[in-house]
Amino acid sequence: MNIYGVVGWKNAGKTGLMERLVSEITARGFSVSTIKHAHHSFDVDHPGKDSYRHRDAGAREVLLASRNRWALMHELHDHEEPPLADLLTKLEPVDLVLVEGYKRDDHPKIEAFRAVTANSLIAPEDETIRAVASDTALELDCPVFDLDDTGGIADFILAEVGL
């Protein structure tokens, strides 16, 4: 599977860019899956629901299924967070996996950057960042796209992975 990341600091526009890229690339006929890294605790389940009660009782995994979708929840308990490479093996084969976050991993990435956040750029110190999508003009040693140039960014990513 081809993998390409979208990284950046908080409020840099990563999720919006991911959403637009998924729409753009799937509209071109490619299959896309995504992985989103969360630095905080999260839950896709709700207290009181049967599946939550199964997990709360101690189940290691709970698979919730309906005619529209299924979701597998895996409790880590005292185990380490799995590396991205292990998570990728959980996905069915697709043309492209877009990864939001995992900025320290070794896959190719594009950095989302918004000037208003006043954060520094990651790209100058990270050779895995192949381009930057920004809301302001930047002088860098890699391609710089307008943050809203979804088509151009999609063209770049697809060319990078050979699609």
Side-chain angles (χ1 to χ4, degrees), residues 22-42:
V22 170
S23 292
E24 176 73 23
I25 295 169
T26 58
R28 296 181 186 194
F30 295 104
S31 58
V32 177
S33 289
T34 66
I35 294 180
K36 162 73 172 116
H37 187 256
H39 290 284
H40 48 80
S41 181
F42 71 93

Side-chain angles (χ1 to χ4, degrees), residues 1-4 31-35 84-98 107-108 161 163:
M1 279 190 295
N2 296 297
I3 176 173
Y4 214 91
S31 58
V32 177
S33 289
T34 66
I35 294 180
L84 177 59
D86 289 357
L87 297 174
L88 287 166
T89 67
K90 310 267 187 223
L91 297 176
E92 291 187 13
V94 291
D95 296 316
L96 178 64
V97 177
L98 289 173
H107 57 279
V161 299
L163 291 176

Side-chain angles (χ1 to χ4, degrees), residues 64-126:
L64 182 61
S66 74
R67 64 184 179 97
N68 295 322
R69 72 190 52 86
W70 64 270
L72 176 62
M73 293 169 280
H74 181 98
E75 292 297 314
L76 293 175
H77 298 291
D78 294 329
H79 294 88
E80 293 287 320
E81 178 181 347
L84 177 59
D86 289 357
L87 297 174
L88 287 166
T89 67
K90 310 267 187 223
L91 297 176
E92 291 187 13
V94 291
D95 296 316
L96 178 64
V97 177
L98 289 173
V99 177
E100 182 177 342
Y102 290 95
K103 67 176 154 274
R104 290 177 183 84
D105 280 58
D106 200 26
H107 57 279
K109 304 168 190 79
I110 186 164
E111 179 178 358
F113 179 80
R114 282 195 178 130
V116 70
T117 65
N119 289 315
S120 60
L121 279 161
I122 302 167
E125 307 300 321
D126 186 340

